[in-house]
Amino acid sequence: MTDTLLPAAPQPLEESDGYFRKGCNPLAQTGRSRLQNQRAALNQQILKAMRMRTGAENLLKAATNQKVREQVRLELSFLNSDLQMLKEELEGLNISVGVYQSTEKAFIIPLIPLGLKETKDVDFSVVLKDFILEHYSEDSYLYEDEIADLMDLRQACRTPSRSEAGVELLMSYFIQLGFVESRFFPPTRQMGILFTWYDSLTGVPVSQQNLLLEKASVLFNIGALYTQIGTRCNRQTEAGLESAVDAFQRAAGVLNYLKETFTHTPSYDMSPAMLSVLVKMMLAQAHECTFEKVCLPGIQNEFFMLVKVAQEAAKVGEVYRQLHTAMNQEPVKENIPYSWASLACVKAHHYEALAHYFAATLLVDHQLKPGTDEDHQEKCLSELYDHMPEGLTPLATLKNIHQRQQLGKAHLCRAITHHEESMREASLCKKLRNIEVLPEVLSAAHQRSQLKYTQLREDDDLLDLMDAPSIISKAEKEVEIILPQFSKVTVTDFFQKLGPLSVFSANKRWTPPRNIHFTAEGGDLGFTLRGNSPVQVHFLDPSSSAAEAGAREGDYIISIQNVDCKWLTLSEVMKLLKSFGENGIEMKVVSLLDSMSSMHSKCATFSVGMQKTYSMICLAIDDDDKTDKNKKVSKKRSFLSWSINKNRQKSVSTLCLPSVGVPGPPVKKKLPSPFSLLNSDSSLY
């Protein structure tokens, strides 16, 4: 975990409108940096130990002298011991189930949060300035504030607060990366910006010159932040449990979205196999919080209530048993923290024991009496098991006190066995032994089952004891994945001054801007206009003054008399032309070099002094449809191909606070949906 050395920042810091961005907690940076330095040192020692072990193993294979082989075997045993100790120490730095728990003292088993991925500083300024000058033919120094905003936002996202504001901060950066990718990262070349992120489980750094690594890592941190919010909720209140369930469902949704969208990530914590396990873990913890919500008001010793609680507990035990099985499968087994797998096993046994305890209680304490709803009780008991023990039927068991007690004692025996197994598993893990509340909870549940069994035990129990059937798991409220809702976060494109993204993007090329100086001859410009933000020249008269000055059909008008026209609508451009038409017009235009680019289907004709000819004809698409549907999109290279030429530049320090945010330009037109900025080729990542 990465925030253990310093507490969360005071509340006023997160909500202030001053130096720090909302949702940023920069006071956690010191703790993260110290832990990262320790993690990096441990990784170097682990790599050294692994190289030495490989050398010793090769020597053992090659050696024929028996004395040499004995010495190599002894050395290998020492190396393996050292390597195991180093890995345990690294695990302690990377993850601890005791961190991020609720500050409220509660008699409950802790939950497992994910640690945030660490990263190094990235300087966008030089590369983006060069690209603006080269590709967009604009003065790059006019965009220094926008580049500073982008770098400030990225720096703030390195220390998000554990709150909805922190999640929104990370989401806003993820959406902003969609704008940046479309404007500055062409699919045909590398931009030379090296992104470095550390694996949250192993601490191994991954460096790529591809923005998809940045996007995937930010998505992982969004999911990790949701887990930290969930574990921080007060699980002693209904509202806190509802918030925890929602947070874990959203964490599962983000991680599942990451798994399906970025399928070839080089960082192991974002591999499909690991993400599948993490999604299972988040859903299991959501089930656990749902069970706690059912038990929060208190469990009444009533037949139907006990049936419900027994099946809910069986459901939690089942999902944790499935999670434990998934954690022990290759290839994730080697990198899953041992404390996680141990806690999943502990909870699987604990909740299965609770299910059998509640089943025993409903059988022993509730005798079918005259006037009760026999059919309902019989149906509930029959639905509690997949099959009744041999020789027993639901109705007969309810009416026969001896059969009920025998079946109840069988459930108690299974409950005690599971309790003892959960306590044994907890005692085997050093990390779990350090959690004081865990053995107390397990021991109290064990003693309760033993006390219940002692009250019913008879001398001949060992002769008559039957096997208790398994309880069918059932949840009243099903836990489901909640997909990330990026559309709820409003983000302004920092570089919207470059023009509408549908036209002015990195995958389109233009001629350099051309100055067209012309006059209206007889009040007529000699061309019509089409499109909307930006407007295009259409139906150009070859003999007109504009044509002679160099205008061509399909030109985009980017300014008129030094007035930026890239975001102006067709009617606004026409009014502007009308205001300057009598004295000569200075117009700046660019032309697309792509041969497949199509013309817009909105048309208008304007002649100075002839208002009746001012017409607007909407042909095929509405006002906001500016997408070039006929243009072919070149397929992006696989993400892994970027790893061939990794940049070996020296790592920069991670100790850097965010700079003052600079507000972006005012929005003149509604920006495209954030979902349209997500790359359709990201599955190649």
Side-chain angles (χ1 to χ4, degrees):
M1 307 310 291
T2 54
D3 283 0
T4 58
L5 302 184
L6 283 174
Q11 188 72 10
L13 178 63
E14 297 182 5
E15 297 184 354
S16 65
D17 295 326
Y19 184 78
F20 300 113
R21 287 181 179 270
K22 182 179 180 181
C24 174
N25 180 6
L27 296 185
Q29 183 73 8
T30 302
R32 283 197 174 97
S33 300
R34 291 179 59 185
L35 287 177
Q36 185 56 58
N37 291 335
Q38 296 176 40
R39 188 185 293 119
L42 278 173
N43 271 296
Q44 292 297 324
Q45 295 179 46
I46 290 174
L47 292 175
K48 180 180 178 181
M50 292 182 67
R51 287 195 295 266
M52 292 179 66
R53 185 178 67 176
T54 301
E57 290 174 345
N58 293 335
L59 179 60
L60 183 63
K61 293 177 182 179
T64 57
N65 186 289
Q66 189 62 28
K67 186 176 180 179
V68 173
R69 291 176 65 85
E70 289 294 334
Q71 291 178 342
V72 173
R73 286 194 184 97
L74 182 62
E75 185 67 24
L76 266 176
S77 65
F78 282 116
L79 287 173
N80 286 328
S81 298
D82 291 343
L83 189 59
Q84 185 62 33
M85 292 178 64
L86 289 171
K87 287 185 175 181
E88 289 180 0
E89 189 175 353
L90 178 62
E91 177 191 341
L93 289 178
N94 286 333
I95 192 68
S96 172
V97 296
V99 183
Y100 296 137
Q101 305 302 317
S102 173
T103 55
E104 303 290 336
K105 295 294 183 180
F107 195 68
I108 50 180
I109 302 178
L111 300 170
I112 301 175
L114 297 179
L116 298 180
K117 292 174 70 67
E118 292 293 334
T119 184
K120 292 183 178 180
D121 288 331
V122 172
D123 188 358
F124 290 99
S125 57
V126 175
V127 173
L128 296 193
K129 283 182 178 180
D130 289 346
F131 193 81
I132 289 172
L133 180 62
E134 171 198 343
H135 188 77
Y136 294 99
S137 301
E138 293 199 26
D139 187 353
S140 58
Y141 289 98
L142 298 177
Y143 293 86
E144 287 185 340
D145 290 343
E146 287 77 6
I147 296 174
D149 275 348
L150 177 64
M151 296 176 63
D152 171 51
L153 178 59
R154 186 185 191 273
Q155 189 67 27
C157 287
R158 297 174 66 179
T159 56
S161 60
R162 291 190 297 272
S163 63
E164 288 297 329
V167 172
E168 185 174 340
L169 178 69
L170 291 176
M171 283 191 172
S172 64
Y173 180 57
F174 176 76
I175 298 172
Q176 192 67 236
L177 287 176
F179 291 117
V180 172
E181 182 179 28
S182 298
R183 291 199 184 277
F184 301 108
F185 286 79
T188 56
R189 72 175 191 183
Q190 299 181 21
M191 292 301 295
I193 300 178
L194 187 69
F195 300 98
T196 301
W197 287 85
Y198 291 86
D199 192 298
S200 65
L201 300 178
T202 66
V204 176
V206 174
S207 299
Q208 298 286 343
Q209 294 187 33
N210 195 323
L211 195 66
L212 292 180
L213 174 63
E214 182 91 348
K215 294 171 72 175
S217 299
V218 173
L219 271 180
F220 183 92
N221 277 359
I222 293 174
L225 197 59
Y226 270 127
T227 68
Q228 296 177 13
I229 293 173
T231 54
R232 293 283 290 183
C233 291
N234 184 3
R235 291 155 64 193
Q236 293 179 300
T237 65
E238 184 175 352
L241 286 169
E242 288 178 352
S243 299
V245 172
D246 181 74
F248 286 120
Q249 287 177 305
R250 294 184 183 279
V254 173
L255 296 175
N256 190 66
Y257 177 80
L258 173 59
K259 180 188 70 172
E260 294 179 351
T261 308
F262 303 92
T263 56
H264 293 88
T265 51
S267 183
Y268 192 81
D269 56 355
M270 297 190 295
S271 65
M274 179 61 73
L275 289 174
S276 296
V277 172
L278 296 182
V279 170
K280 288 179 183 293
M281 186 170 74
M282 297 307 115
L283 294 179
Q285 296 189 137
H287 274 292
E288 184 179 1
C289 293
T290 301
F291 173 76
E292 291 177 357
K293 183 181 175 183
V294 172
C295 301
L296 185 64
I299 302 173
Q300 299 177 357
N301 196 348
E302 188 267 332
F303 184 87
F304 301 110
M305 179 65 180
L306 291 172
V307 170
K308 175 184 176 181
V309 174
Q311 291 186 314
E312 291 275 358
K315 180 66 176 180
V316 180
E318 179 185 34
V319 294
Y320 271 112
R321 186 168 60 252
Q322 294 171 352
L323 174 63
H324 182 255
T325 301
M327 286 179 170
N328 283 280
Q329 299 294 322
E330 297 292 346
V332 300
K333 181 180 179 180
E334 295 298 323
N335 290 300
I336 282 286
Y338 179 65
S339 59
W340 289 9
S342 297
L343 188 59
C345 185
V346 166
K347 290 187 177 184
H349 286 294
H350 174 69
Y351 284 104
E352 192 164 348
L354 292 183
H356 284 288
Y357 171 78
F358 292 126
T361 303
L362 70 89
L363 287 167
V364 173
D365 294 353
H366 296 279
Q367 183 178 0
L368 191 60
K369 298 178 180 179
T372 57
D373 191 346
E374 294 184 5
D375 294 338
H376 193 190
Q377 287 197 10
E378 179 186 9
K379 181 181 179 182
C380 285
L381 186 61
S382 63
E383 292 178 350
L384 187 64
Y385 310 121
D386 53 359
H387 67 275
M388 291 290 293
E390 186 177 355
L392 299 183
T393 61
L395 185 59
T397 302
L398 290 171
K399 291 182 177 181
N400 190 314
I401 186 172
H402 177 71
Q403 290 183 1
R404 286 190 294 105
Q405 287 190 348
Q406 288 298 105
L407 185 56
K409 284 187 285 187
H411 279 297
L412 287 173
C413 285
R414 285 196 65 175
I416 292 171
T417 302
H418 283 296
H419 281 310
E420 291 173 348
E421 189 63 22
S422 67
M423 295 169 67
R424 187 186 71 83
E425 286 287 341
S427 66
L428 294 177
C429 179
K430 180 180 178 181
K431 296 297 178 183
L432 299 187
R433 290 199 301 268
N434 294 335
I435 303 175
E436 296 180 359
V437 71
L438 181 59
E440 295 177 4
V441 173
L442 300 179
S443 178
H446 179 231
Q447 292 175 10
R448 182 176 58 182
S449 296
Q450 277 192 323
L451 179 62
K452 190 79 172 177
Y453 181 72
T454 302
Q455 296 172 352
L456 301 171
R457 186 172 58 187
E458 298 175 357
D459 294 338
D460 59 347
D461 277 350
L462 294 178
L463 300 177
D464 298 337
L465 195 62
M466 65 178 70
D467 292 331
S470 298
I471 298 171
I472 296 177
S473 62
K474 183 179 179 181
E476 184 179 24
K477 183 180 179 182
E478 196 62 33
V479 172
E480 297 178 349
I481 288 174
I482 299 179
L483 295 176
Q485 299 174 333
F486 300 108
S487 58
K488 291 188 176 181
V489 181
T490 303
V491 177
T492 300
D493 180 9
F494 286 152
F495 300 93
Q496 62 173 320
K497 287 195 304 185
L498 291 173
L501 192 59
S502 59
V503 175
F504 297 97
S505 62
N507 61 354
K508 293 186 178 181
R509 298 169 55 246
W510 309 270
T511 61
R514 308 191 311 276
N515 290 317
I516 308 298
H517 183 77
F518 67 100
T519 57
E521 301 174 355
D524 193 348
L525 295 174
F527 57 85
T528 60
L529 300 179
R530 272 195 173 186
N532 210 22
S533 302
V535 173
Q536 283 183 285
V537 175
H538 189 52
F539 292 145
L540 179 65
D541 184 355
S543 61
S544 64
S545 174
E548 293 176 354
R552 297 195 295 263
E553 289 191 12
D555 283 347
Y556 286 96
I557 301 176
I558 59 175
S559 69
I560 299 174
Q561 302 292 114
N562 295 324
V563 177
D564 194 336
C565 298
K566 290 192 290 287
W567 282 101
L568 297 185
T569 63
L570 186 143
S571 58
E572 290 171 336
V573 171
M574 293 175 65
K575 290 179 181 178
L576 196 59
L577 286 170
K578 179 180 177 181
S579 63
F580 295 116
E582 298 178 356
N583 302 319
I585 302 173
E586 188 74 30
M587 185 170 67
K588 186 176 292 186
V589 299
V590 294
S591 300
L592 272 176
L593 295 177
D594 303 318
S595 59
M596 295 300 295
S597 61
S598 62
M599 300 291 288
H600 290 285
S601 56
K602 182 185 296 181
C603 178
T605 303
F606 170 67
S607 296
V608 178
M610 300 176 62
Q611 296 184 4
K612 291 183 180 182
T613 63
Y614 173 42
S615 61
M616 184 179 297
I617 307 171
C618 297
L619 300 179
I621 57 176
D622 57 29
D623 291 351
D624 295 327
D625 189 0
K626 301 182 292 296
T627 305
D628 191 353
K629 297 183 179 180
N630 295 326
K631 181 175 174 54
K632 294 183 179 179
V633 180
S634 58
K635 187 174 181 181
K636 288 194 174 186
R637 287 191 286 173
S638 170
F639 177 63
L640 295 180
S641 66
W642 294 98
S643 62
I644 298 175
N645 299 317
K646 290 185 178 179
N647 194 329
R648 301 295 184 182
Q649 294 177 354
K650 187 177 179 181
S651 302
V652 293
S653 173
T654 58
L655 292 175
C656 182
L657 291 177
S659 58
V660 181
V662 182
V667 181
K668 295 185 179 180
K669 186 170 180 64
K670 184 178 179 181
L671 294 173
S673 169
F675 287 105
S676 65
L677 303 177
L678 301 179
N679 233 319
S680 60
D681 291 333
S682 56
S683 60
L684 298 176
Y685 174 38

